[in-house]
Amino acid sequence: MAQKRKAKDAFGTPEGVLSAFAAARLKRANQEAASISPALAEEVATPPYDGHNSSPGVSARVSRASSPNAAVEEDVRLPPPISFRTNYLNVVNDNAESLTLLLDINETACVAGEYELSVLEGRATIYGVLLHPNSGVQRVYAPSTHALPVITARRGPTKLCLRSVKSSLRKLERLSPVFRNIWSADEKDRSFRVLQTSFEDASQRPLSILVTEDASQRILTQIAGRANERDGQLRVITLGPKSSGKSTLNRQICNAIVSKMLKKRCLYLDLDPGQPEFGPPGQISLVEVRSPILGPAFTHPASRKSKSHRLLVTHTLAATSFKDDPEHYVACVRDIMDGCRERLRGKDAQPLIINASGWVTGLGATVMIDLLNVLGITDTILIDGDYLTLADAARDKSEVYYKLPRPLPRPSSRTPAELRTMQMMSYFHSHASSGPKWTGNPISTLRPWLVSYAASNPGISAILSYGQAVPPEHLSEVLDGSVVAIISLDSLASQDTLFTTVHTQEGLPYVPAPPSGYATPLPPGHTTTHALAMIRGIDQQSQTLQLISPLPESEIARLMTRRVVLVRGNFDSPDWAYLEDLHSDETKEAGRKEVSAGKRPWVKLREEVGVEGGVWRIRHPPMAGQIGG
């Protein structure tokens, strides 16, 4: 025991967490309660600490004591336990492909993994969606990176079917460790697993469940009712600090409206460039939601061809925060609102759900207060937090406001930066089609688009830097392997009045920065952001750029007749793209040889140490901030 304590101490003990002895006593108490009433027992999820989180699955408020083992446990607060009561009476059918359950009213099923859900009889809710036999088949994504949604019977008896699926999204686990060990399978090798408690998870991951509290459920019901009463003329914003559950609540609001409103659709205004719901980080967008949102952000990238989540308009900030240029951020939001006025009024009005940034103090609050006049909010949901100035302003601007307590923190196996990586990978590997599809091929194996930048017949008009500019002598080096936004100018915008271009020694057309070092962004009212692209390479001899983008061929063909600007900025470095073929079984040996021969830039292998094994690391290409101008 002494050795184990020393090993744990070496990792450090997170402050405010139950000691191992206290957690053991708490678990034993729950097990004793289970032996008294096994049908109604609920066990507490206490997965082991995985090194990623500040809490090993137990959120607790304990008094300080002289030693870790002397902590007082009277005021312990735990995340909701995973509980599902199953026996031979409510398992109707169980085969290699599907599982059919019969639930009485208010009985629940917690399912991890990916599956198709259909209600055969009765009524059930999941993620705020009310499902019935006419709702059809719904694809549910329940990875361990997020709280698992719970299926609740709203009428008894309710018969529902869970069907195993073959998902193209799972192909991404071959390309990056961030996608590994997030899905579940049962003993029949189905793509899902019904859980009684998190102890049944073979990987011992820090699982938690998504529970809609009574206060949240009342708000969902009221908002759906108001959307019907006002014939869709409703604008709802949720405000709260970072990691306070805004995105989850917004999904539930959309789902409640889509499933209960006669029009079966709503608009989603995504104003958080750091953790967007429907697109890659670094952009804001407006999406028409026609189907329930039943998974984390990386499971449903929006596109202009999607029948479920159709992208209407997007503007790039080329950064995961608007701190460097709040004026441009406000201008982009204003342009989106001006363009969707007709969708927000009249008999065909659609409710507008707004996903706000979690930056609710200082500059973030000032910008959000300015936007309140632009957005025309009718309903505001305020999640508890220290942002009194913004909360008061939003309350004054709203017809109705609601207050919610901040939910307890949940364990997560992925950091915000890793979640952004997953979202960016999902975006670049997706196919723009009516439904979500992904390719499992490494980025390096995809055929790039060749875009000429030669002066005689250029495919692009200019390269523009948002944020800190890059000295022209280093532009090609910074661009190579970076992410850019593809933006076109409309017919009314004069390139000569918007900017002037000069050329680097390699012939790259770029917009020189003013003396301040920060170029003026393109006016959102005269531009269209089409997609993001990755510059796979620059061929100076033929003066062409090699671009990788999920943009469909038909849209790229239309760009040939327009003036196109590539915008770079402070997008996250796409480290994941440099390493994909080194993780893929099909290409990793060839990639290893390239690294050993010095043919692969930026990548190195940290050799095996002890039992850990080798780990691929990035030697970062130069970023704009590292190059003096």
Side-chain angles (χ1 to χ4, degrees), residues 303-321:
S303 71
R304 289 180 170 86
K305 290 187 175 182
S306 175
K307 294 180 179 179
S308 301
H309 311 117
R310 186 163 69 98
L311 179 64
L312 300 177
V313 62
T314 182
H315 287 306
T316 189
L317 304 181
T320 56
S321 171

PDB file of all heavy atoms in Angstrom, residues 303-321:
ATOM      1  N   SER A 303     -22.989  21.584 -43.820  1.00  0.00           N
ATOM      2  CA  SER A 303     -22.565  21.881 -45.189  1.00  0.00           C
ATOM      3  C   SER A 303     -23.757  22.435 -45.951  1.00  0.00           C
ATOM      4  O   SER A 303     -24.904  22.313 -45.524  1.00  0.00           O
ATOM      5  CB  SER A 303     -22.033  20.625 -45.890  1.00  0.00           C
ATOM      6  OG  SER A 303     -23.085  19.723 -46.175  1.00  0.00           O
ATOM      7  N   ARG A 304     -23.488  23.030 -47.079  1.00  0.00           N
ATOM      8  CA  ARG A 304     -24.563  23.622 -47.873  1.00  0.00           C
ATOM      9  C   ARG A 304     -25.434  22.565 -48.541  1.00  0.00           C
ATOM     10  O   ARG A 304     -26.524  22.860 -49.017  1.00  0.00           O
ATOM     11  CB  ARG A 304     -23.979  24.584 -48.920  1.00  0.00           C
ATOM     12  CG  ARG A 304     -23.421  25.854 -48.300  1.00  0.00           C
ATOM     13  CD  ARG A 304     -22.837  26.811 -49.335  1.00  0.00           C
ATOM     14  NE  ARG A 304     -22.536  28.106 -48.733  1.00  0.00           N
ATOM     15  CZ  ARG A 304     -21.409  28.402 -48.107  1.00  0.00           C
ATOM     16  NH1 ARG A 304     -20.463  27.468 -48.003  1.00  0.00           N
ATOM     17  NH2 ARG A 304     -21.214  29.600 -47.588  1.00  0.00           N
ATOM     18  N   LYS A 305     -24.970  21.309 -48.573  1.00  0.00           N
ATOM     19  CA  LYS A 305     -25.758  20.227 -49.157  1.00  0.00           C
ATOM     20  C   LYS A 305     -26.498  19.396 -48.118  1.00  0.00           C
ATOM     21  O   LYS A 305     -27.309  18.546 -48.476  1.00  0.00           O
ATOM     22  CB  LYS A 305     -24.841  19.305 -49.978  1.00  0.00           C
ATOM     23  CG  LYS A 305     -24.312  19.917 -51.264  1.00  0.00           C
ATOM     24  CD  LYS A 305     -23.574  18.865 -52.082  1.00  0.00           C
ATOM     25  CE  LYS A 305     -23.142  19.421 -53.424  1.00  0.00           C
ATOM     26  NZ  LYS A 305     -22.469  18.388 -54.254  1.00  0.00           N
ATOM     27  N   SER A 306     -26.237  19.609 -46.848  1.00  0.00           N
ATOM     28  CA  SER A 306     -26.815  18.777 -45.809  1.00  0.00           C
ATOM     29  C   SER A 306     -28.323  18.990 -45.693  1.00  0.00           C
ATOM     30  O   SER A 306     -28.811  20.122 -45.737  1.00  0.00           O
ATOM     31  CB  SER A 306     -26.152  19.082 -44.459  1.00  0.00           C
ATOM     32  OG  SER A 306     -26.786  18.370 -43.420  1.00  0.00           O
ATOM     33  N   LYS A 307     -29.058  17.899 -45.555  1.00  0.00           N
ATOM     34  CA  LYS A 307     -30.500  17.973 -45.345  1.00  0.00           C
ATOM     35  C   LYS A 307     -30.847  18.142 -43.871  1.00  0.00           C
ATOM     36  O   LYS A 307     -31.964  18.516 -43.538  1.00  0.00           O
ATOM     37  CB  LYS A 307     -31.169  16.712 -45.882  1.00  0.00           C
ATOM     38  CG  LYS A 307     -31.064  16.551 -47.396  1.00  0.00           C
ATOM     39  CD  LYS A 307     -31.757  15.279 -47.854  1.00  0.00           C
ATOM     40  CE  LYS A 307     -31.669  15.117 -49.372  1.00  0.00           C
ATOM     41  NZ  LYS A 307     -32.320  13.866 -49.838  1.00  0.00           N
ATOM     42  N   SER A 308     -29.902  17.865 -42.992  1.00  0.00           N
ATOM     43  CA  SER A 308     -30.153  17.940 -41.556  1.00  0.00           C
ATOM     44  C   SER A 308     -29.683  19.260 -40.954  1.00  0.00           C
ATOM     45  O   SER A 308     -30.411  19.896 -40.199  1.00  0.00           O
ATOM     46  CB  SER A 308     -29.461  16.772 -40.838  1.00  0.00           C
ATOM     47  OG  SER A 308     -29.923  15.533 -41.316  1.00  0.00           O
ATOM     48  N   HIS A 309     -28.458  19.662 -41.283  1.00  0.00           N
ATOM     49  CA  HIS A 309     -27.863  20.872 -40.728  1.00  0.00           C
ATOM     50  C   HIS A 309     -27.235  21.645 -41.885  1.00  0.00           C
ATOM     51  O   HIS A 309     -26.060  21.464 -42.209  1.00  0.00           O
ATOM     52  CB  HIS A 309     -26.825  20.516 -39.662  1.00  0.00           C
ATOM     53  CG  HIS A 309     -27.333  19.522 -38.655  1.00  0.00           C
ATOM     54  ND1 HIS A 309     -26.789  18.263 -38.498  1.00  0.00           N
ATOM     55  CD2 HIS A 309     -28.360  19.600 -37.786  1.00  0.00           C
ATOM     56  CE1 HIS A 309     -27.448  17.612 -37.558  1.00  0.00           C
ATOM     57  NE2 HIS A 309     -28.402  18.404 -37.111  1.00  0.00           N
ATOM     58  N   ARG A 310     -28.044  22.505 -42.493  1.00  0.00           N
ATOM     59  CA  ARG A 310     -27.638  23.184 -43.729  1.00  0.00           C
ATOM     60  C   ARG A 310     -26.950  24.502 -43.416  1.00  0.00           C
ATOM     61  O   ARG A 310     -27.513  25.368 -42.743  1.00  0.00           O
ATOM     62  CB  ARG A 310     -28.848  23.414 -44.629  1.00  0.00           C
ATOM     63  CG  ARG A 310     -28.495  23.988 -46.003  1.00  0.00           C
ATOM     64  CD  ARG A 310     -29.643  23.806 -46.969  1.00  0.00           C
ATOM     65  NE  ARG A 310     -30.781  24.652 -46.588  1.00  0.00           N
ATOM     66  CZ  ARG A 310     -31.046  25.828 -47.134  1.00  0.00           C
ATOM     67  NH1 ARG A 310     -30.220  26.332 -48.053  1.00  0.00           N
ATOM     68  NH2 ARG A 310     -32.105  26.511 -46.775  1.00  0.00           N
ATOM     69  N   LEU A 311     -25.729  24.652 -43.906  1.00  0.00           N
ATOM     70  CA  LEU A 311     -24.965  25.874 -43.708  1.00  0.00           C
ATOM     71  C   LEU A 311     -25.511  26.969 -44.616  1.00  0.00           C
ATOM     72  O   LEU A 311     -25.558  26.821 -45.845  1.00  0.00           O
ATOM     73  CB  LEU A 311     -23.492  25.616 -44.010  1.00  0.00           C
ATOM     74  CG  LEU A 311     -22.541  26.806 -43.876  1.00  0.00           C
ATOM     75  CD1 LEU A 311     -22.491  27.287 -42.433  1.00  0.00           C
ATOM     76  CD2 LEU A 311     -21.139  26.435 -44.371  1.00  0.00           C
ATOM     77  N   LEU A 312     -25.933  28.081 -44.029  1.00  0.00           N
ATOM     78  CA  LEU A 312     -26.474  29.195 -44.799  1.00  0.00           C
ATOM     79  C   LEU A 312     -25.415  30.245 -45.096  1.00  0.00           C
ATOM     80  O   LEU A 312     -25.313  30.736 -46.226  1.00  0.00           O
ATOM     81  CB  LEU A 312     -27.649  29.833 -44.044  1.00  0.00           C
ATOM     82  CG  LEU A 312     -28.836  28.918 -43.753  1.00  0.00           C
ATOM     83  CD1 LEU A 312     -29.899  29.658 -42.945  1.00  0.00           C
ATOM     84  CD2 LEU A 312     -29.434  28.365 -45.045  1.00  0.00           C
ATOM     85  N   VAL A 313     -24.654  30.621 -44.091  1.00  0.00           N
ATOM     86  CA  VAL A 313     -23.605  31.624 -44.283  1.00  0.00           C
ATOM     87  C   VAL A 313     -22.556  31.447 -43.202  1.00  0.00           C
ATOM     88  O   VAL A 313     -22.858  31.002 -42.085  1.00  0.00           O
ATOM     89  CB  VAL A 313     -24.198  33.060 -44.239  1.00  0.00           C
ATOM     90  CG1 VAL A 313     -24.817  33.352 -42.885  1.00  0.00           C
ATOM     91  CG2 VAL A 313     -23.127  34.100 -44.562  1.00  0.00           C
ATOM     92  N   THR A 314     -21.322  31.766 -43.538  1.00  0.00           N
ATOM     93  CA  THR A 314     -20.234  31.703 -42.556  1.00  0.00           C
ATOM     94  C   THR A 314     -19.244  32.824 -42.842  1.00  0.00           C
ATOM     95  O   THR A 314     -19.080  33.240 -43.994  1.00  0.00           O
ATOM     96  CB  THR A 314     -19.525  30.329 -42.601  1.00  0.00           C
ATOM     97  OG1 THR A 314     -18.508  30.275 -41.606  1.00  0.00           O
ATOM     98  CG2 THR A 314     -18.882  30.093 -43.955  1.00  0.00           C
ATOM     99  N   HIS A 315     -18.615  33.314 -41.786  1.00  0.00           N
ATOM    100  CA  HIS A 315     -17.553  34.313 -41.906  1.00  0.00           C
ATOM    101  C   HIS A 315     -16.356  33.840 -41.095  1.00  0.00           C
ATOM    102  O   HIS A 315     -16.522  33.289 -39.992  1.00  0.00           O
ATOM    103  CB  HIS A 315     -18.001  35.679 -41.397  1.00  0.00           C
ATOM    104  CG  HIS A 315     -18.957  36.381 -42.310  1.00  0.00           C
ATOM    105  ND1 HIS A 315     -18.683  36.612 -43.634  1.00  0.00           N
ATOM    106  CD2 HIS A 315     -20.187  36.916 -42.084  1.00  0.00           C
ATOM    107  CE1 HIS A 315     -19.698  37.251 -44.198  1.00  0.00           C
ATOM    108  NE2 HIS A 315     -20.627  37.443 -43.279  1.00  0.00           N
ATOM    109  N   THR A 316     -15.178  34.059 -41.623  1.00  0.00           N
ATOM    110  CA  THR A 316     -13.987  33.624 -40.914  1.00  0.00           C
ATOM    111  C   THR A 316     -13.405  34.754 -40.075  1.00  0.00           C
ATOM    112  O   THR A 316     -13.407  35.927 -40.484  1.00  0.00           O
ATOM    113  CB  THR A 316     -12.925  33.095 -41.890  1.00  0.00           C
ATOM    114  OG1 THR A 316     -11.862  32.489 -41.144  1.00  0.00           O
ATOM    115  CG2 THR A 316     -12.336  34.217 -42.732  1.00  0.00           C
ATOM    116  N   LEU A 317     -12.925  34.386 -38.880  1.00  0.00           N
ATOM    117  CA  LEU A 317     -12.117  35.289 -38.058  1.00  0.00           C
ATOM    118  C   LEU A 317     -10.645  34.899 -38.152  1.00  0.00           C
ATOM    119  O   LEU A 317      -9.778  35.660 -37.722  1.00  0.00           O
ATOM    120  CB  LEU A 317     -12.566  35.237 -36.599  1.00  0.00           C
ATOM    121  CG  LEU A 317     -14.039  35.544 -36.303  1.00  0.00           C
ATOM    122  CD1 LEU A 317     -14.293  35.472 -34.801  1.00  0.00           C
ATOM    123  CD2 LEU A 317     -14.437  36.895 -36.850  1.00  0.00           C
ATOM    124  N   ALA A 318     -10.401  33.687 -38.687  1.00  0.00           N
ATOM    125  CA  ALA A 318      -9.043  33.140 -38.798  1.00  0.00           C
ATOM    126  C   ALA A 318      -8.366  33.051 -37.437  1.00  0.00           C
ATOM    127  O   ALA A 318      -7.148  33.128 -37.336  1.00  0.00           O
ATOM    128  CB  ALA A 318      -8.191  33.959 -39.774  1.00  0.00           C
ATOM    129  N   ALA A 319      -9.160  32.887 -36.388  1.00  0.00           N
ATOM    130  CA  ALA A 319      -8.640  32.781 -35.023  1.00  0.00           C
ATOM    131  C   ALA A 319      -9.736  32.185 -34.152  1.00  0.00           C
ATOM    132  O   ALA A 319     -10.929  32.277 -34.475  1.00  0.00           O
ATOM    133  CB  ALA A 319      -8.215  34.144 -34.483  1.00  0.00           C
ATOM    134  N   THR A 320      -9.349  31.601 -33.038  1.00  0.00           N
ATOM    135  CA  THR A 320     -10.315  30.997 -32.129  1.00  0.00           C
ATOM    136  C   THR A 320     -10.837  31.981 -31.090  1.00  0.00           C
ATOM    137  O   THR A 320     -11.552  31.601 -30.179  1.00  0.00           O
ATOM    138  CB  THR A 320      -9.698  29.786 -31.417  1.00  0.00           C
ATOM    139  OG1 THR A 320      -8.501  30.203 -30.740  1.00  0.00           O
ATOM    140  CG2 THR A 320      -9.338  28.693 -32.417  1.00  0.00           C
ATOM    141  N   SER A 321     -10.473  33.254 -31.229  1.00  0.00           N
ATOM    142  CA  SER A 321     -10.970  34.306 -30.348  1.00  0.00           C
ATOM    143  C   SER A 321     -11.056  35.602 -31.143  1.00  0.00           C
ATOM    144  O   SER A 321     -10.314  35.800 -32.113  1.00  0.00           O
ATOM    145  CB  SER A 321     -10.048  34.495 -29.139  1.00  0.00           C
ATOM    146  OG  SER A 321     -10.409  35.650 -28.396  1.00  0.00           O
TER     147      SER A 321
END
